Amino acid sequence: MRFSRAFIPTLRETPAEAQALSHQLMLRAGLIRQLAAGVYSFLPLGWRVMQKVMRIIREEMDAIGGQEFHFPALNPIDIWQQTGRVEAMGDVLFHIKNREGLVLAPTHEEVVAFHARQHVKSYKDLPQIWYQIQPKFRNEPRPRFGVLRGRQFTMKDSYSLDATWEGLDESYEKHARAYRRIFRRCGLRVFVVGASSGAMGGSASQEFMVESPAGEDTCVVCSQCGYAANVEVARSAVEPTARLPESHPLERFPTPGVRSIDDLVARGIPEERCAKALVYIADGQPLMVLLRGNDELNEAKLQAVLQAVWLRPATPEELQRFTGASAGSIGPIGLPTPMPVIADERLRDANELVSGANVDGYHFRHIDLQRDCRIEHYADIRTVQAGEPCPQCTAPLRIVRAIEVGHIFKLGTKYSEALGAFFLDEHGQERPIIMGSYGIGVERIIAAFIEQNHDEHGICWIPAIAPFHVHLLALGVEREEPVRRVAEQLYQELWDSGVETLYDDRPESAGVKFKDADLIGLPLQLIVSPRSLHSGGVELKERRSGKRHHVPVEEARAAVRQLLHQLSEEPQWATLP
Ligand code: ATP
Ligand code: MG
């Protein structure tokens, strides 16, 4: 493509609305433009990247026996009502105002179950893997960071249909392998979080994550053994609170001015002997949470333990009402309003603890949780902190922000039962089809790649997903006939041998051309200038490493092909375990 005739609006300035780096670079390099909040147009360079990513996905889905469909975005609302997801999706589901009974599909489990019901009759029709690459519509409350969270985005979604739970496990594993290959080929370093082995199908799910400051998920990862988990479920091998040999008699003592664990520590009480109490309201009922020292409560874990729908901290007024004290002086002993106490695992059966006395300015010491309290149950409800030992190998854990690029999920029979997608098994018995669902965000792959592959000058593509392979820069082309002649000849030769070439034939200064080339970031730059010709040839620059090679004109094509080949093989694209 000739730059002078292409629509590649690069930007010098950083657009004000672009908070994520990948978003900035996608705008500046002319890959996308915003049309409305959370809605983006892909310009020619960006669309070429999209198509390459989709081709990789297609090849890997076909390789596990997937069959490509194209389901409509317009869906009849009744299939969504039958699965209860009109309510579950709430405001995220787009409804259509001037046509009752249609919604815009945010995903396609319902449609798949609908067609399976019509056409899958017998176990002999199974297993199946159906997939599509198609726009999805979600009225995200906070579309952010450009295409990372859009209101319209492109998803590869696939669905497995199986007759047995073992079959589901197999389909799920096939997807897990295909996903690793897809992300590796797209140059992403991913890690996987979530439970992998919900034996007998269950509801196992795994998310494929890319470490990035623009990510909206917080994950705990071990660089040593590969342990990784969302912070909402992550564990660590922190030491438990030792039970001391002797429990002294419980004693109340004055602690004027003490409002926090740090205040207690300042009075000489070891942090590990402090029990921090919090009051929460779960589905309308108060409960007390006990944590060790300055450990932080993880609300997601607590909510999962309680299986509560609504969970929130008590207000200061509620604290006074339920405990008679304010936040710094509450504890599990002498509560005027009895309430269940949930304690963190780390405090299991501990003694010689200090906690609030439910009277402002007083605490208890020598608390023995076995002797003095009724603990409803112990559970892991604390938040893992950076540097704590890995639960698998004890190496220090890191806490990172991450982008979810893919999600695989064992659905079971929820959708097939709701929509009546049954089949007859070997014994002629009617059973619901066992389903799995698997998603990849195509735009997110691109944004996540850019998050991981850029420098201060712009994007650093790999050949597999670069919009073009080579950026041919002809310097002084408007006045130098030899430059024009050699550049035109190379442009033709390169395309003839299958090398996708973007030819900067604009009458711009060398500075402008170099800046744009680095910003767009094609893997190779091929520079033809009066100077290079004078010294006998052309110059090749590897965008990522900055390495330069001088080659005679007649060897340029072979050198380009060889370098592209090398760049495609670089080992840094290995996917982490
Ligand atoms: P998130 O938690 O980020 O909202 P999700 O759990 O809603 O994601 P899924 O429903 O599992 O996502 O969708 C499958 C994939 O689609 C995700 O892994 C992600 O890559 C992509 N995706 C989801 N929502 C968006 C969005 N609003 N914009 C761009 N891609 C998205
Ligand atoms: Mg979502």
Side-chain angles (χ1 to χ4, degrees):
M1 189 186 286
R2 286 170 195 270
F3 208 136
S4 60
R5 292 178 214 159
F7 186 67
I8 308 177
T10 57
L11 300 176
R12 297 272 157 263
E13 304 296 321
T14 302
E17 81 272 23
Q19 300 126 320
L21 230 147
S22 54
H23 188 203
Q24 279 178 28
L25 287 171
M26 289 180 83
L27 288 166
R28 288 188 49 214
L31 304 184
I32 57 167
R33 284 295 178 267
Q34 188 181 53
L35 183 61
V39 183
Y40 290 87
S41 298
F42 272 77
L43 311 189
L45 284 188
W47 184 239
R48 288 181 71 91
V49 179
M50 282 284 281
Q51 283 176 297
K52 290 189 177 184
V53 171
M54 292 191 285
R55 187 179 316 148
I56 291 172
I57 294 174
R58 225 169 237 130
E59 285 172 9
E60 296 298 341
M61 290 308 301
D62 291 345
I64 59 168
Q67 305 156 78
E68 187 167 356
F69 285 63
H70 187 76
F71 300 121
L74 281 176
N75 277 204
I77 196 169
D78 56 308
I79 57 177
W80 287 84
Q81 277 157 346
Q82 286 171 54
T83 58
R85 285 219 285 185
V86 175
E87 285 95 72
M89 289 270 167
D91 213 26
V92 169
L93 186 66
F94 276 109
H95 293 256
I96 290 170
K97 234 179 169 175
N98 69 348
R99 176 62 68 188
E100 285 278 305
L102 287 178
V103 294
L104 289 178
T107 171
H108 280 83
E109 283 82 3
E110 279 77 358
V111 173
V112 165
F114 175 88
H115 289 304
R117 174 200 175 136
Q118 295 170 314
H119 295 292
V120 176
K121 298 291 179 204
S122 143
Y123 71 97
K124 291 181 197 146
D125 300 327
L126 297 171
Q128 297 279 330
I129 292 175
W130 296 357
Y131 81 94
Q132 62 166 346
I133 304 176
Q134 185 256 17
K136 295 282 184 277
F137 296 86
R138 294 184 183 182
N139 188 20
E140 299 280 0
R142 283 167 299 138
R144 272 201 293 184
F145 300 147
V147 299
L148 279 171
R149 182 170 298 284
R151 289 203 162 105
Q152 170 174 344
F153 61 96
T154 310
M155 200 200 288
K156 185 290 297 173
D157 45 328
S158 45
Y159 305 88
S160 60
L161 309 175
D162 277 280
T164 63
W165 293 101
E166 294 74 25
L168 171 62
D169 289 345
E170 227 169 275
S171 300
Y172 183 89
E173 285 312 320
K174 277 185 185 169
H175 276 88
R177 285 197 299 273
Y179 274 35
R180 284 180 181 281
R181 282 194 294 267
I182 289 167
F183 296 130
R184 182 165 51 231
R185 288 180 63 185
C186 291
L188 289 182
R189 295 180 291 275
V190 300
F191 62 89
V192 182
V193 301
S196 62
S197 68
M200 299 311 286
S203 59
S205 99
Q206 282 170 297
E207 291 165 340
F208 291 76
M209 314 295 294
V210 171
E211 186 177 333
S212 154
E216 294 183 83
D217 290 83
T218 305
C219 293
V220 173
V221 299
C222 173
S223 308
Q224 189 126 326
C225 73
Y227 170 78
N230 196 295
V231 75
E232 295 181 355
V233 295
R235 293 168 296 116
S236 72
V238 281
E239 87 286 9
T241 308
R243 185 169 172 87
L244 299 179
E246 197 183 347
S247 283
H248 294 94
L250 192 62
E251 184 191 330
R252 198 174 93 158
F253 67 110
T255 48
V258 167
R259 298 223 152 66
S260 65
I261 298 296
D262 288 339
D263 293 343
L264 286 173
V265 173
R267 289 166 150 255
I269 297 163
E271 195 204 317
E272 71 266 20
R273 291 289 142 198
C274 297
K276 177 167 73 176
L278 308 166
V279 175
Y280 267 75
I281 312 293
D283 294 334
Q285 298 299 316
L287 70 114
M288 179 166 280
V289 175
L290 270 193
L291 293 153
R292 168 167 138 166
N294 274 324
D295 277 5
E296 235 176 76
L297 174 69
N298 190 305
E299 289 188 5
K301 286 184 180 176
L302 180 63
Q303 185 154 17
V305 167
L306 298 171
Q307 304 204 322
V309 180
W310 302 106
L311 183 73
R312 60 170 177 86
T315 62
E317 297 74 50
E318 284 169 330
L319 266 188
Q320 279 293 343
R321 183 143 48 88
F322 295 133
T323 71
S326 43
S329 299
I330 62 172
I333 293 172
L335 275 169
T337 310
M339 63 179 90
V341 179
I342 313 283
D344 183 60
E345 249 337 309
R346 211 179 174 191
L347 284 174
R348 185 178 282 277
D349 298 332
N351 63 347
E352 290 300 296
L353 298 175
V354 172
S355 198
N358 299 310
V359 177
D360 279 352
Y362 286 91
H363 279 71
F364 278 111
R365 62 178 152 225
H366 309 308
I367 298 173
D368 181 337
L369 293 185
Q370 276 181 351
R371 179 191 66 190
D372 305 322
C373 306
R374 216 189 128 244
I375 305 292
E376 183 90 359
H377 51 250
Y378 289 97
D380 171 19
I381 50 172
R382 68 187 289 281
T383 304
V384 171
Q385 304 290 340
E388 287 177 3
C390 169
Q392 290 183 168
C393 77
T394 75
L397 291 168
R398 292 190 310 129
I399 305 223
V400 303
R401 303 286 286 173
I403 299 167
E404 175 197 321
V405 288
H407 191 183
I408 57 179
F409 198 61
K410 292 183 184 176
L411 290 176
T413 57
K414 174 179 166 190
Y415 295 91
S416 45
E417 279 180 57
L419 286 158
F422 295 96
F423 69 98
L424 294 178
D425 71 10
E426 295 99 314
H427 313 294
Q429 206 176 349
E430 196 170 70
R431 294 186 185 282
I433 297 172
I434 300 168
M435 289 176 61
S437 121
Y438 316 87
I440 287 183
V442 181
E443 291 91 341
R444 274 199 198 174
I445 288 188
I446 298 169
F449 174 87
I450 294 172
E451 289 286 336
Q452 287 190 335
N453 297 278
H454 66 265
D455 60 18
E456 70 270 33
H457 306 296
I459 304 171
C460 301
W461 293 108
I462 55 168
I465 62 168
F468 294 90
H469 300 132
V470 175
H471 203 130
L472 172 60
L473 293 103
L475 306 184
V477 63
E478 63 281 14
R479 2 169 246 282
E480 302 282 343
E481 180 52 24
V483 167
R484 199 193 62 80
R485 209 181 51 244
V486 169
E488 291 285 339
Q489 176 202 329
L490 286 174
Y491 180 56
Q492 199 56 48
E493 275 183 13
L494 287 170
W495 273 107
D496 286 348
S497 59
V499 176
E500 298 170 13
T501 306
L502 176 65
Y503 174 19
D504 194 345
D505 57 342
R506 297 173 300 171
E508 293 282 357
S509 72
V512 165
K513 290 187 177 188
F514 286 137
K515 270 214 156 57
D516 282 346
D518 281 351
L519 176 60
I520 293 168
L522 304 183
L524 273 184
Q525 295 171 12
L526 176 56
I527 301 145
V528 187
S529 65
R531 182 140 46 109
S532 78
L533 292 180
H534 187 73
S535 50
V538 295
E539 199 183 340
L540 267 165
K541 180 182 138 190
E542 299 177 31
R543 167 64 181 91
R544 184 187 300 269
S545 67
K547 257 189 243 160
R548 289 171 188 273
H549 313 262
H550 296 271
V551 290
V553 176
E554 48 299 349
E555 285 168 30
R557 173 168 61 169
V560 164
R561 287 175 58 96
Q562 200 211 331
L563 277 172
L564 282 175
H565 189 71
Q566 270 175 26
L567 290 173
S568 303
E569 311 257 289
E570 279 191 5
Q572 75 236 36
W573 310 121
T575 309
L576 293 175

